[in-house]
Amino acid sequence: MSGESVKVAVRVRPFNQREKDRGAKLIIGMNGKQTTIKNPDSKEGPKNFAFDFSYWSHDEFEADEEGILQPTGSNKYSSQRLVFNDLGQGVLNNAFEGYNTSLFAYGQTGSGKSYSMVGYGPNKGIVPITCDEMFKTIQGNQEQNKRFEVTFSMLEIYNEQVRDLLNKDNPKGGLQVRQNPKIGFYVQDLKKVPVGSYKEIERRMEQGTASRTVASTQMNATSSRAHTVVTITFDQIIKGDSGETKKSSVMNLVDLAGSERADSTGATGDRLKEGANINKSLSALGNVISALADQSSGNKKVLVPYRDSVLTKLLQNALGGNSKTIMIAALSPADINYDETLSTLRYADRAKKIKNKAVVNENPVDRLIRELKEENEKLKQMMTGGGQMPLEGSQAMSQEGLSAEEIDKMRKEMEEEIRAQLMANQEMLAGAEGEGPSWEEKLAAANTESMTEAAVPDRKNKEAHLTNLNEDPLLAGVVFHYFKDGETTIGRKDADVKPDVILSGLSIMKNHAVITKNKAEYELRPGMPGAKTKVNGAPLTGPLTLTHKDRVLFGSNHMYVFCNPTKKDSSADLPDTIDWEFAQKEIAQAKGFDTGAAGLTKDQQIAQEQVLEILPMVSEVNAVSEELDKHRTFEVVLVSAAAQEGALGTQKGTKVMVKMKNLLNGNTWLWERGKFMNRRFLVQDLYQRWLDGDEDVQKIKKEEDPFWEPTEDVLIGNANVFLQSLAYGLDFDDRLAITDYKGQEEGSISVHVAPCTQTGKPLDEDYFVDNPSELLGKPYHFKVSIRSAEIKKARFSKGIQIKYRVYTNEKITETKMIKGNLSPKFNHSEIFTFSSVTEDHLLFFDNQCITFSVYGVQEDSVADPKLNKMSTKELRQMEHFQTPSTNRRGTVFSLDSSETGQLKSELMLLQKKFDRLEQKEKRMQEICREWEKKAEAEKDFDGLLRSVSAVANSSGTKLRTRVQVLNRVLLGYRLMKKPGESSGDSNPGKDDDTISVYVFGDEEDSMQKVATQNGGVLSHDLIKRHYGDKGCRSLLQQKNAVAAKQSGAGQKKSVSQNGVPNEGSKACVII
């Protein structure tokens, strides 16, 4: 069959427990073959996709008596059996017809790939059901002239290295990937095991899974970054009159690594990004799929980059060659994963455009033998120099300009390729000619080996043991360590006395720990000083009796659960099943991170997810730093939205970052999460080279060292100014605390933000906006002034600068750099203009702030000689003891300093409004008292109601009156403060001779007209008639009290962050 498109299916899983706890919203919909995804943060309609199959496995199911999930009610739920019937059965049918077939699962970590491919418990996935059905069909074969041969292999691709999961001993650097003209790319020396039943395949898969677990722990690898490829070679040998014919099928079942996008983690800014292999295989796979889709659309000139990665080499036939291929994309249903799920859908949408040309692999055995022998003769001639090695692509280069050493290297590589082809051909030839052991003998030997390895009695239900935890549920609970009577030692294989339990990897010491069995009690203690072990998240410092379900972490990443089936007493608070996530949350809580889900916003949920993900990675990199003595330490930090540069006008949430610190000179760097993950990958590679004995690791150039970073300005901290005051025409003047990402105070800055004219002149002191909506459509100008700063830490005296951004301006405004001073005077000011105020501007005033980011200059200074003599481990211990412990719990996802500042700013405005309402109330009370004093005959209830209603509905006009009596009091006070000074304060025309009041009620309009005629000023008598004697006395007392606190410097009064008048500002009563 030619030109058949790759079949693509998508499947959405149920909410996991974490998503349920956090009230996740469903973003996926399915109807027939249609799949939709809804952006939870947008009002736009859902995006639509169409695939060959859309499987709804989110809800409407229940477990039957055997624990198998079955649909309920509407039959909307797609069970494992239904998915197999649509996809796996097709794979199986094609295999029996002689076609190569491929099935690969794609999606982000935790989206359900492994469930669809392998399954959990009684809910078997496509791979085991396909294998089971294949052997059922073989056993039902009635044709006497047909026999079947099935071989099984299982490999893993991690960091561009291939590991044989059925072989305990893998060469350093992994197995080689070769190319053969007949079979294409293949893995040299990969173990292919004959299997005769599904049970044998099941045992081999369990063996491979255990191998993955041990390897990922020892290599510090993350299983979600590894691809797993199961290959089943299915041969049908048919005996006819003219000889035997072999019909062959290769079934590739591929569980791809997690498809987390590199750009979403922030890795794009790393100088070493090109050197890392993070997602290299998936990126290459995406490029291959795009190129093949273009080819299928008619663009034949597109070069398909199969050679860009190990994965794409091995999948060449599956994707663009002789294979019938199916892709299943696993989808997360939760709103928190919208970006990743949309990326998966788009990836799958491209894949369905690919067309393959599959052919039946059926050849007479005699012809196959003849062709192999002819090809072997040609290869032997090349080896003896009788021919030339055909080179392809980048290998087809001229020898001109190459040194003798380079030519010799090329010749050796060519000879190695020829030998590999000869061996591969010879292996096929031996099988075709029937040389060596018969198929039945090979099958019996493999079965004996499998049974020997599996012949371990089921002790886990009878004896106490440690069983492993892993982030991949498939890799958890597959490693068991049992204890002998007396002492069971745990450590490295190079210990003086071989330990009972051998562990390897980061932070594992030769004699790491000892477990002592005393009847039914098991005691764990450190094996030697400095051995890192944690029990239930807390460091192990001495002997500790283990209880059922205790979580034990040896070194950096050997995580186990202690199980004691004979004594199952454990805390009632523990879940029925301890998993990786529970253990990691426990460690995070011990470090002070809040892991509770209640009341978290979506951004906070994302941040919490990332903290739990990155904490073990940081521990791992710290351990490598100690072993390679890199003098660096790392810690997870949470940077609030307000503390992020450029956060204004955006919806940024809390950002998870990693701080790297140079332990020799104190310089620090803040890395984006993605950049750290990229570096961590390079660190793993560097450490693996060191373990392999590569001496160049200690001589690596600093520019290539993942632990090195050039010095850069460091963010000391941030100060936030909230802008509600601007919406009411008020200015803001205060000294603000500079707080770092932990909320610790690092200094302060003096800031003034005030409305102004276009040229920057201050507005009249009586300017006030009753309702911010009055500003709509009008131009608005305000000035931001930064006077000075005070910085606490002396190491920042090398230079201090402040940066900020206003509204959505792309330009970041900067002050000048002040060097050699911890109390810099910036005297910086900048005018900002909104040409026409919009609702967005008012929202900006009401909800947003200006974040002033204070930066300090760092220099690559020489370290203290005493520190140079200390190891990284000693320096990290010293750092731990010197750094005051801070409890993050309660600050991580709760109110940060910016939110507190906003509340203070809102409080100040409410106080202003309250003052005005209070004055209204006083005026209404005064009206009621005046009415009460009237004679009964003069009391007019309708008039009283009109007067009170007028005051209640009045906005109030701010007017001024000159008060001569008060002026003399103030003058006397100032003469006492400054004897001998002469001032013009007695001048009735001065502003100091006035008092500002609000007029409410029926008289408001008439009194405003009088004030307009008299330059904005009313007579004292007119105010007295409005307020009464008692009201006037109250006004005088208030002004006298405020004036007594002022120095008379004549500065305009400003509002501070906490609502307290600033010292030295002018007296002006606002009521």
Side-chain angles (χ1 to χ4, degrees):
M1 183 182 293
S2 63
E4 183 176 346
S5 296
V6 170
K7 287 186 178 181
V8 179
V10 295
R11 190 181 191 187
V12 60
R13 61 164 172 80
F15 286 135
N16 58 37
Q17 191 58 48
R18 184 171 62 253
E19 290 163 348
K20 291 177 182 176
D21 293 343
R22 293 175 179 172
K25 296 179 181 177
L26 179 65
I27 58 171
I28 296 294
M30 289 181 176
N31 184 13
K33 296 183 178 182
Q34 300 292 318
T35 296
T36 61
I37 183 170
K38 176 75 172 66
N39 187 344
D41 298 323
S42 171
K43 295 181 180 178
E44 296 179 0
K47 292 179 172 61
N48 296 289
F49 296 88
F51 300 103
D52 295 290
F53 302 97
S54 289
Y55 294 119
W56 181 266
S57 299
H58 177 69
D59 58 11
E60 299 190 31
F61 62 88
E62 64 181 7
D64 62 16
E65 295 177 354
E66 297 178 0
I68 298 175
L69 302 182
Q70 302 288 2
T72 59
S74 64
N75 287 325
K76 185 178 181 182
Y77 177 77
S78 297
S79 65
Q80 293 283 65
R81 175 54 69 168
L82 175 65
V83 174
F84 166 78
N85 291 342
D86 288 341
L87 305 181
Q89 189 64 54
V91 169
L92 196 57
N93 293 342
N94 290 329
F96 273 94
E97 290 175 18
Y99 292 104
N100 292 335
T101 61
S102 298
L103 172 64
F104 59 99
Y106 179 88
Q108 73 178 106
T109 301
S111 60
K113 300 189 306 297
S114 297
Y115 180 76
S116 291
M117 292 294 285
V118 181
Y120 298 137
N123 293 281
K124 302 292 185 182
I126 296 173
V127 174
I129 296 178
T130 299
C131 296
D132 191 22
E133 293 294 329
M134 177 177 66
F135 281 105
K136 285 180 180 177
T137 305
I138 290 173
Q139 291 167 3
N141 174 52
Q142 301 294 323
E143 300 179 45
Q144 297 296 324
N145 64 337
K146 182 185 291 187
R147 74 177 192 271
F148 301 90
E149 296 179 359
V150 182
T151 59
F152 177 91
S153 64
M154 189 174 183
L155 63 84
E156 179 179 69
I157 303 171
Y158 182 81
N159 193 12
E160 288 299 284
Q161 295 184 4
V162 178
R163 292 188 61 256
D164 187 346
L165 295 177
L166 301 184
N167 200 330
K168 293 179 180 179
D169 299 317
N170 279 270
K172 292 179 180 179
L175 299 176
Q176 294 295 314
V177 176
R178 305 289 187 188
Q179 188 173 17
N180 184 287
K182 286 192 173 297
I183 59 177
F185 289 104
Y186 68 99
V187 180
Q188 187 178 3
D189 298 327
L190 180 68
K191 187 173 183 178
K192 298 176 182 177
V193 183
V195 287
S197 68
Y198 168 65
K199 283 294 182 183
E200 291 174 32
I201 286 185
E202 194 172 40
R203 280 199 297 270
R204 292 296 181 177
M205 289 190 69
E206 289 174 357
Q207 177 189 344
T209 300
S211 179
R212 280 184 69 195
T213 304
V214 173
S216 67
T217 306
Q218 291 178 349
M219 295 168 57
N220 318 304
T222 305
S223 63
S224 62
R225 291 291 184 191
H227 314 284
T228 306
V229 182
V230 170
T231 302
I232 298 172
T233 305
F234 177 53
D235 292 335
Q236 302 173 73
I237 296 91
I238 305 165
K239 186 178 292 187
D241 295 338
S242 57
E244 289 187 341
T245 301
K246 180 186 285 189
K247 186 184 290 186
S248 297
S249 172
V250 177
M251 290 186 282
N252 287 308
L253 307 169
V254 187
D255 190 357
L256 294 172
S259 63
E260 290 73 31
R261 296 174 301 140
D263 58 341
S264 71
T265 63
T268 51
D270 190 1
R271 64 182 177 86
L272 292 179
K273 179 174 182 265
E274 295 302 321
N277 284 322
I278 282 186
N279 269 348
K280 178 180 178 180
S281 294
L282 284 179
S283 298
L285 181 60
N287 294 336
V288 166
I289 287 175
S290 295
L292 288 171
D294 289 343
Q295 273 191 357
S296 300
S297 300
N299 187 356
K300 301 300 182 183
K301 295 181 180 180
V302 176
L303 177 66
V304 183
Y306 291 114
R307 294 179 176 271
D308 283 0
S309 77
V310 170
L311 177 69
T312 48
K313 286 178 183 177
L314 297 180
L315 292 183
Q316 179 174 3
N317 270 340
L319 290 168
N322 178 22
S323 178
K324 291 193 172 187
T325 301
I326 298 170
M327 171 182 175
I328 181 165
L331 309 179
S332 166
D335 53 345
I336 196 173
N337 294 319
Y338 170 77
D339 290 332
E340 301 297 349
T341 303
L342 178 60
S343 176
T344 299
L345 286 168
R346 287 172 172 164
Y347 203 97
D349 198 49
R350 288 201 305 271
K352 71 181 185 182
K353 299 175 183 176
I354 300 173
K355 294 182 182 296
N356 280 350
K357 297 180 180 179
V359 297
V360 174
N361 302 307
E362 187 172 20
N363 289 301
V365 175
D366 291 341
R367 190 180 78 184
L368 180 64
I369 293 172
R370 184 178 68 251
E371 290 174 351
L372 286 170
K373 286 182 176 179
E374 290 173 356
E375 187 175 342
N376 278 357
E377 286 302 316
K378 292 179 182 178
L379 292 172
K380 289 175 182 177
Q381 288 179 15
M382 290 182 188
M383 289 288 291
T384 58
Q388 292 185 349
M389 177 70 179
L391 301 177
E392 299 179 0
S394 61
Q395 289 182 312
M397 61 173 66
S398 171
Q399 294 185 5
E400 294 181 8
L402 297 179
S403 65
E405 185 178 329
E406 289 172 326
I407 293 174
D408 186 57
K409 182 181 178 183
M410 179 184 291
R411 185 179 293 113
K412 288 181 179 178
E413 289 176 353
M414 291 167 60
E415 289 177 357
E416 194 176 337
E417 286 288 340
I418 294 173
R419 286 196 185 93
Q421 282 197 36
L422 271 170
M423 289 177 62
N425 288 349
Q426 198 62 42
E427 186 179 335
M428 288 189 287
L429 191 59
E433 292 182 325
E435 296 179 1
S438 67
W439 171 256
E440 289 73 15
E441 291 171 336
K442 292 178 183 178
L443 186 61
N447 193 33
T448 300
E449 175 196 345
S450 173
M451 292 301 293
T452 301
E453 292 180 355
V456 178
D458 184 14
R459 302 164 60 185
K460 62 184 179 181
N461 296 324
K462 303 174 184 177
E463 301 177 32
H465 59 275
L466 291 171
T467 184
N468 75 303
L469 289 179
N470 195 287
E471 64 174 334
D472 185 342
L474 279 178
L475 303 187
V478 298
V479 176
F480 298 89
H481 296 300
Y482 298 93
F483 315 115
K484 63 183 184 181
D485 291 332
E487 292 187 346
T488 299
T489 56
I490 300 170
R492 297 204 310 250
K493 62 182 179 181
D494 59 346
D496 296 335
V497 178
K498 185 178 178 181
D500 300 301
V501 176
I502 296 176
L503 301 179
S504 62
L506 284 168
S507 300
I508 297 297
M509 304 187 77
K510 290 183 179 180
N511 303 302
H512 196 89
V514 177
I515 295 179
T516 303
K517 178 182 178 182
N518 184 8
K519 295 182 180 179
E521 298 292 332
Y522 295 84
E523 181 186 85
L524 172 66
R525 71 175 190 271
M528 60 189 300
K532 295 181 179 178
T533 301
K534 291 182 178 179
V535 179
N536 303 334
L540 179 70
T541 57
L544 179 71
T545 300
L546 296 174
T547 59
H548 185 58
K549 292 187 179 180
D550 274 349
R551 287 71 61 203
V552 185
L553 175 64
F554 298 111
S556 295
N557 49 4
H558 286 270
M559 180 72 78
Y560 292 90
V561 177
F562 173 75
C563 300
N564 190 351
T566 62
K567 193 175 181 181
K568 292 189 175 183
D569 299 332
S570 61
S571 173
D573 296 332
L574 293 175
D576 293 337
T577 302
I578 303 294
D579 58 14
W580 170 268
E581 183 181 350
F582 179 85
Q584 291 301 329
K585 277 187 176 182
E586 189 171 53
I587 292 173
Q589 288 169 349
K591 290 179 178 288
F593 289 95
D594 186 3
T595 60
L600 296 186
T601 65
K602 180 182 175 184
D603 287 332
Q604 290 168 343
Q605 291 175 18
I606 293 173
Q608 190 183 83
E609 293 271 355
Q610 293 174 353
V611 165
L612 294 175
E613 172 194 33
I614 212 168
L615 268 178
M617 299 181 188
V618 169
S619 298
E620 173 193 313
V621 174
N622 275 325
V624 176
S625 179
E626 287 185 5
E627 292 210 23
L628 300 185
D629 204 24
K630 289 295 185 177
H631 300 117
R632 299 291 189 273
T633 187
F634 299 81
E635 70 170 309
V636 179
V637 300
L638 293 161
V639 183
S640 66
Q644 298 170 36
E645 183 180 305
L648 290 181
T650 69
Q651 298 297 321
K652 291 186 177 180
T654 300
K655 181 180 287 187
V656 177
M657 304 184 78
V658 174
K659 183 175 82 169
M660 179 178 77
K661 182 174 182 178
N662 185 331
L663 293 168
L664 296 177
N665 60 19
N667 285 346
T668 61
W669 295 262
L670 275 181
W671 286 352
E672 299 275 353
R673 166 176 159 267
K675 180 175 179 178
F676 168 76
M677 293 174 75
N678 189 49
R679 290 296 179 91
R680 176 240 181 186
F681 202 87
L682 290 169
V683 165
Q684 287 179 330
D685 188 48
L686 190 71
Y687 181 67
Q688 194 62 46
R689 286 169 53 194
W690 182 73
L691 288 178
D692 293 342
D694 188 346
E695 296 178 358
D696 293 335
V697 167
Q698 299 294 356
K699 304 173 186 176
I700 189 172
K701 295 179 182 178
K702 65 180 183 181
E703 291 81 9
E704 299 173 2
D705 190 346
F707 287 96
W708 182 83
E709 193 79 344
T711 55
E712 58 188 32
D713 293 350
V714 63
L715 179 65
I716 299 172
N718 297 281
N720 301 301
V721 172
F722 288 88
L723 306 172
Q724 291 99 330
S725 57
L726 292 181
Y728 293 90
L730 299 172
D731 59 346
F732 176 98
D733 194 345
D734 202 1
R735 178 163 286 277
L736 305 171
I738 301 169
T739 54
D740 67 5
Y741 59 87
K742 290 183 178 179
Q744 296 176 346
E745 193 170 323
E746 295 288 345
S748 63
I749 58 173
S750 177
V751 176
H752 183 211
V753 181
C756 64
T757 66
Q758 188 173 2
T759 58
K761 292 182 179 180
L763 300 180
D764 186 272
E765 68 175 19
D766 294 330
Y767 179 76
F768 183 82
V769 177
D770 248 328
N771 189 334
S773 61
E774 297 172 15
L775 299 174
L776 290 172
K778 300 176 183 177
Y780 194 94
H781 316 279
F782 60 96
K783 181 190 288 188
V784 176
S785 302
I786 305 174
R787 299 191 188 99
S788 61
E790 294 286 342
I791 305 299
K792 290 183 176 182
K793 292 180 179 175
R795 75 185 188 92
F796 295 124
S797 63
K798 299 179 182 71
I800 299 171
Q801 185 181 35
I802 299 176
K803 302 178 183 180
Y804 64 96
R805 193 200 306 264
V806 173
Y807 194 47
T808 56
N809 292 352
E810 293 184 4
K811 177 187 172 186
I812 293 178
T813 306
E814 302 178 356
T815 66
K816 57 188 176 182
M817 178 73 73
I818 307 293
K819 297 184 177 181
N821 193 344
L822 290 174
S823 301
K825 307 291 183 185
F826 294 105
N827 296 322
H828 162 91
S829 64
E830 189 83 14
I831 300 171
F832 297 90
T833 297
F834 296 151
S835 57
S836 178
V837 174
T838 65
E839 291 286 355
D840 288 340
H841 291 130
L842 295 184
L843 286 173
F844 168 63
F845 286 154
D846 191 42
N847 300 320
Q848 298 295 324
C849 66
I850 299 175
T851 297
F852 296 95
S853 299
V854 185
Y855 287 86
V857 173
Q858 295 187 125
E859 295 177 356
D860 200 4
S861 57
V862 179
D864 185 334
K866 294 180 180 178
L867 298 180
N868 271 326
K869 296 178 181 179
M870 299 175 68
S871 68
T872 302
K873 188 172 184 178
E874 292 169 334
L875 289 169
R876 290 191 70 238
Q877 288 173 345
M878 186 174 71
E879 174 86 2
H880 175 74
F881 289 125
Q882 288 179 348
T883 305
S885 62
T886 56
N887 183 12
R888 306 173 201 246
R889 200 171 303 173
T891 63
V892 175
F893 299 117
S894 58
L895 286 179
D896 57 29
S897 58
S898 64
E899 291 172 310
T900 305
Q902 185 173 15
L903 289 175
K904 287 181 178 179
S905 182
E906 291 175 355
L907 179 62
M908 176 267 294
L909 284 176
L910 290 173
Q911 184 64 48
K912 288 291 173 190
K913 294 176 181 178
F914 172 75
D915 289 343
R916 182 173 287 199
L917 291 173
E918 186 179 43
Q919 189 59 33
K920 276 190 178 187
E921 182 188 15
K922 289 179 180 178
R923 177 62 186 137
M924 287 188 283
Q925 289 174 348
E926 187 69 27
I927 292 172
C928 291
R929 282 193 291 269
E930 291 174 358
W931 181 82
E932 192 176 10
K933 293 176 183 178
K934 293 180 180 179
E936 288 297 326
E938 298 177 359
K939 289 181 179 179
D940 179 9
F941 285 100
D942 291 337
L944 173 65
L945 180 60
R946 282 195 302 272
S947 298
V948 172
S949 298
V951 174
N953 296 318
S954 170
S955 62
T957 298
K958 185 178 179 182
L959 303 171
R960 294 184 296 172
T961 180
R962 292 200 173 101
V963 188
Q964 299 293 336
V965 176
L966 178 60
N967 183 58
R968 286 195 290 272
V969 174
L970 293 176
L971 180 59
Y973 172 74
R974 290 173 187 164
L975 288 176
M976 286 189 291
K977 292 286 287 182
K978 300 179 182 180
E981 284 188 12
S982 174
S983 75
D985 286 349
S986 60
N987 182 357
K990 292 270 296 182
D991 281 347
D992 285 344
D993 193 31
T994 64
I995 180 170
S996 298
V997 297
Y998 285 105
V999 176
F1000 300 95
D1002 292 333
E1003 300 167 314
E1004 183 178 340
D1005 292 339
S1006 61
M1007 293 179 75
Q1008 187 175 9
K1009 290 178 182 177
V1010 174
T1012 302
Q1013 295 170 359
N1014 296 326
V1017 179
L1018 295 171
S1019 69
H1020 181 262
D1021 291 339
L1022 196 57
I1023 289 294
K1024 184 178 178 181
R1025 286 201 299 270
H1026 182 73
Y1027 274 94
D1029 289 333
K1030 187 176 180 180
C1032 280
R1033 281 197 300 274
S1034 176
L1035 293 174
L1036 292 174
Q1037 288 169 358
Q1038 289 183 56
K1039 180 156 188 175
N1040 189 23
V1042 174
K1045 296 179 182 178
Q1046 307 299 327
S1047 62
Q1051 295 178 351
K1052 180 183 175 183
K1053 176 182 176 182
S1054 308
V1055 180
S1056 71
Q1057 177 98 22
N1058 58 12
V1060 178
N1062 290 301
E1063 188 176 347
S1065 60
K1066 176 184 171 184
C1068 177
V1069 178
I1070 303 177
I1071 301 190

